[in-house]
Every structure is written in structure tokens, then in C-alpha cells.
Amino acid sequence: MFANIRRLLNRFFNKSSTINNEPLNKVSLIVIVLIDLFILINVFTGLDDISRWYLSPSQVYPCYAQWDHYLTQTTKNKDYEIIQLSLRDRTDGQSSFQQRDRQAENGHLGKVSASCLTYAGAKDALKTPQNQQILRAIEQKQTAIDALNQTNNTIRAQYDSTLLEKIAAQPREQSLNAVGAEKAKQTLDQNNRKLSTLTKERSALQTELTQKPESIAFIAFLNQSETFKAVKAGDEKASFWYPSIQLAFQSLFLLPLILLALSVHRFAQRKGYGLAALMSWHLLVIFLVPLVLKVFEFLQVGALFQFAFDLFSVLFSGLLFLISYVYILLIPLIGFGIIKFFQKMVFNAKVQAASRVQKSRCVRCAKNIRHHDAYCPHCGYYQRVECHHCHELTYQHLPYCKQCGYAQEPEPLQ
């Protein structure tokens, strides 16, 4: 296996830096590297764009996060808090929440959940001028309450200090505090009375807001457990399959480019177009690298990983670290499979040699040679090998001797 990897790497670097078996000069190499970087950046940009073509789970179910947060809350004022959040929520230039959510469908595949659109419609009904005025009044009351609390905290700190000074019989003119103990106590009592009044007014406004017909309808919709269960199940299913969908679209973007680069590379090799063969080879590598990266990324976050995680959760409970062992074994096996694929399909010496011998080409560099030439005049490669059975000369890398028909063990193509 390691010999195959080493031979594969040697051939890779040789094909990437030579034209017709002649090394590239430094300027040409720099130009090719710059072209590679430019194309690679554009490939990843295209992959990112096409991965967003299908709506993400948060776009299909935009209401799920807020809805789930509301149902899992245990605070007494959660009805008011969700209404307040809905009134504060912005629509980013859209006239309604429904329009904002539907906007995600433009230029994308997939549909926004009907339940979430209903949720958005209920939020739109809340955004009346009267409700927004009530909310502003509540926020003004809250601002006044916060200011009074801050003032009281400052006065209490000074009050404690002035008491200590009074106990120590320190003269008032030597005090570090601007307000005396008696004045501080009087101010605290006044502020507490104001706080009590403001708190009652704020609570009354909050109750008024939550008792509006549109607020009651909104809260009633949020408490429809069956509807929420359907949204939750849909969001979990979408989250499970979304990485697989992204990989499918990314593969759809890359595979035509890979096939095109591979076809051009083989055609250029057959015709002896050295520069075209080199450029198409670089393109092939550039298109393959992102595909391999995306496959490995999918193995970490896709449906396969989620399935393995769920399976180990059931079988081994807390021993989820065993998943790491599975991946440690799985990833090298996948890498080994990729290497074998390229060895058998892309860099198969037997297939290349058979095609080149039939067309009177060098079995190494694929340049035209005469049928009886023992050495290639372009790269100097010896075209013959001695048969292990009859000891006559036969073609390199072909499976059978042309003299006796005995099966040969071809030498690896250098």
C-alpha cells in the first residue's frame, strides 16, 4: 500500500510540474500556481453559493427557535415576553413578517413551513399602532424604574457610610458624602413610593397588552402542542438531511467539471498537447480536492455521522467516545479506497499501455513512435520487456506475451 502511495505521489508531482517530460521553468510554474489559486477560490465560492440553493432548516422553519424557547420557559411573564419580542422584532424593510419569511423562497429550492407562515401572520397582527404605543409606554416606565433603582443603590451605599460617621461622632462638614443620613432616608422613602407606583403602572400596561384580542389569539396559537410537534419534527428531519442535500448539490457542481477536465486531459495526452495536458491535469486536481474535502466534512456532520451517533447512544449510552474509534478506522479505509480507485481507473498502467501500443505511442509519455522503436525518442523509455516464459521480447505493461501468449506480470509504469 505504501509503495502504491509513494508511486502515486511521484507521478502526481511529475505530471504537475512537467510538459512532455520536461520540467517547467520558474516563471511558468508561478503562473500556473496563480491560475490554480484563482480557480480554487472561484470553485469554493461556487460551492458555497450552490450549498445555499436549498433552504436551510432555519429558513424552512424560521419560527421554531422562538416557539421552542417560549414553550420551555418557566417564567411567570413569558406571555408578555414573547409578545414584547415579537413587537420589537424587525422585518428588514419588508412590510410584514410573512413577507420576510416568504422572501427566503426567492431564487431557492424548498418551501417555508405553512405553520411558520401562520405564526408570522399572528405576529403581524400584533404590530398595531396601539400595541406599539403601549410597548413604548412600558419601556419608558421600565427606564424610570431602572434609573430609580440605580439612584437607590447609590444612596444606600452613602447611607451606610453616613451612619458609620454618625456613630463615630464625626462632624458633618468632614463627611465624604454629599447627603446626610436623615436626608438619604427621606429620599429613599420617596423613591420607593415612586417605584411602587411605576411598577403597578407597568404591570397594568403589560396586562393590557397581553389581553388584547390579537395577543390572546397569538398565545393560543403558540400553545397548540400538535402544531408545534409537527414543526419540531420537521425541523429535526430537515437538520438531519440538510448536510446530505448540500453534498448532493456540491457534487452536482463539481462532477461535470471533473469529467470535463479528465476528458480534456486524456485527449491532450493522446494528441501530445503537452501544455493542454498539464493545465487540464491541474484543473482536475483543483476540482477533486474540494470534492474530497466536502465528503470528509459530510462524514463529520452528515446523516451518516448522525446515524452512528444515535446508534452508539442507544447501544453504549455514555460511551460516545467510541464513535472516534469508528472514524479513526473508517477514514483510512475511505482513503485507501480512493487510492485504489485512482490506481485502477485513472492511473491504470495496463489500460494506458494497451491504448498506446495500439496507436503506436510511447507507453510512458504517449508520444508517437515507430512500431519497431525499442526506445522512445522523446523520453528515452524502453518499450520492451523479456517474457518470463519464452524469454523473447514483448511489450511492456501488457498482460500477455506477443510471442508465446504467456501471462505477464507487468512492471509498474514509472
Side-chain angles (χ1 to χ4, degrees):
M1 176 180 174
F2 292 107
N4 288 340
I5 295 175
R6 184 170 60 253
R7 186 164 57 252
L8 189 65
L9 289 174
N10 288 337
R11 294 194 61 197
F12 170 79
F13 288 114
N14 182 62
K15 288 175 72 69
S16 301
S17 58
T18 59
I19 297 179
N20 297 332
N21 294 306
E22 295 182 3
L24 286 171
N25 60 64
K26 294 180 180 179
V27 175
S28 299
L29 190 60
I30 291 173
V31 171
I32 289 178
V33 170
L34 292 176
I35 293 173
D36 290 346
L37 290 174
F38 175 80
I39 295 175
L40 191 62
I41 291 171
N42 281 274
V43 166
F44 276 104
T45 301
L47 285 174
D48 183 65
D49 290 339
I50 200 169
S51 68
R52 301 173 190 272
W53 194 11
Y54 197 88
L55 294 180
S56 67
S58 62
Q59 292 173 312
V60 177
Y61 298 95
C63 63
Y64 174 69
Q66 281 189 3
W67 202 342
D68 181 63
H69 179 70
Y70 168 77
L71 292 178
T72 53
Q73 266 190 319
T74 57
T75 56
K76 181 180 178 181
N77 254 2
K78 71 175 188 176
D79 288 350
Y80 166 72
E81 289 172 1
I82 189 69
I83 292 171
Q84 179 193 44
L85 181 63
S86 301
L87 287 171
R88 284 179 173 174
D89 200 359
R90 300 178 61 183
T91 55
D92 298 326
Q94 301 294 329
S95 59
S96 69
F97 292 112
Q98 271 193 345
Q99 288 184 352
R100 183 191 65 179
D101 292 345
R102 285 188 185 276
Q103 186 70 24
E105 297 178 357
N106 294 343
H108 293 82
L109 298 178
K111 294 290 183 182
V112 178
S113 164
S115 297
C116 282
L117 290 176
T118 305
Y119 176 91
K123 286 176 66 175
D124 288 331
L126 287 174
K127 273 205 163 181
T128 64
Q130 295 83 3
N131 289 345
Q132 290 178 330
Q133 184 177 358
I134 293 172
L135 181 62
R136 283 194 293 269
I138 292 172
E139 290 174 343
Q140 288 171 0
K141 302 290 184 187
Q142 185 62 51
T143 301
I145 290 171
D146 292 340
L148 283 172
N149 281 325
Q150 181 62 38
T151 301
N152 283 353
N153 290 336
T154 303
I155 293 173
R156 286 193 185 96
Q158 294 179 351
Y159 180 66
D160 293 340
S161 178
T162 52
L163 282 178
L164 291 174
E165 290 173 354
K166 190 173 182 179
I167 294 171
Q170 181 175 328
R172 181 71 188 89
E173 58 274 8
Q174 296 180 6
S175 175
L176 299 175
N177 301 300
V179 181
E182 295 80 4
K183 181 65 175 178
K185 181 67 170 61
Q186 182 181 0
T187 305
L188 280 174
D189 291 340
Q190 290 175 352
N191 288 348
N192 286 334
R193 286 193 292 271
K194 290 180 183 178
L195 278 172
S196 178
T197 302
L198 287 171
T199 303
K200 289 178 182 178
E201 291 174 351
R202 183 193 61 184
S203 298
L205 289 170
Q206 289 176 350
T207 302
E208 181 183 355
L209 184 59
T210 55
Q211 293 304 312
K212 291 281 188 177
E214 56 272 16
S215 300
I216 294 173
F218 179 58
I219 298 301
F221 177 78
L222 287 175
N223 285 288
Q224 292 179 7
S225 58
E226 292 303 319
T227 306
F228 174 74
K229 286 179 182 177
V231 169
K232 182 179 180 180
D235 182 81
E236 290 175 350
K237 183 178 179 181
S239 299
F240 179 82
W241 287 111
Y242 188 61
S244 304
I245 294 171
Q246 283 186 305
L247 179 64
F249 279 110
Q250 289 166 343
S251 301
L252 185 66
F253 175 81
L254 286 172
L255 287 178
L257 297 174
I258 292 171
L259 294 176
L260 179 62
L262 183 60
S263 301
V264 172
H265 180 66
R266 287 181 172 177
F267 175 79
Q269 279 192 315
R270 287 197 304 270
K271 295 296 184 180
Y273 302 150
L275 182 58
L278 176 67
M279 295 300 297
S280 59
W281 168 254
H282 276 256
L283 290 175
L284 180 61
V285 173
I286 287 171
F287 299 147
L288 280 171
V289 167
L291 181 61
V292 172
L293 292 177
K294 293 301 178 181
V295 169
F296 278 95
E297 180 182 327
F298 168 75
L299 291 175
Q300 291 295 326
V301 299
L304 179 62
F305 174 79
Q306 189 62 45
F307 174 78
F309 183 85
D310 294 340
L311 180 63
F312 273 78
S313 297
V314 173
L315 296 179
F316 301 103
S317 185
L319 303 180
L320 296 179
F321 63 87
L322 293 176
I323 296 178
S324 298
Y325 286 120
V326 174
Y327 273 82
I328 290 171
L329 296 175
L330 181 64
I331 299 303
L333 288 176
I334 293 174
F336 180 76
I338 293 173
I339 292 170
K340 294 298 290 184
F341 169 77
F342 279 96
Q343 284 290 100
K344 296 296 182 183
M345 302 299 294
V346 180
F347 302 111
N348 192 313
K350 294 180 181 179
V351 175
Q352 288 181 341
S355 174
R356 292 170 182 177
V357 168
Q358 289 175 3
K359 298 176 181 179
S360 295
R361 297 178 183 276
C362 171
V363 294
R364 180 185 186 190
C365 70
K367 289 291 186 68
N368 286 324
I369 59 174
R370 291 175 298 181
H371 181 70
H372 61 273
D373 286 342
Y375 290 89
C376 174
H378 304 286
C379 67
Y381 188 72
Y382 187 51
Q383 308 292 306
R384 306 285 190 261
V385 69
E386 183 180 313
C387 172
H388 301 296
H389 183 255
C390 69
H391 302 290
E392 296 290 336
L393 292 179
T394 185
Y395 294 114
Q396 286 243 37
H397 312 298
L398 293 188
Y400 298 96
C401 175
K402 70 173 184 176
Q403 304 294 342
C404 66
Y406 190 79
Q408 304 293 303
E409 183 65 28
E411 297 292 330
L413 189 62
Q414 302 298 321

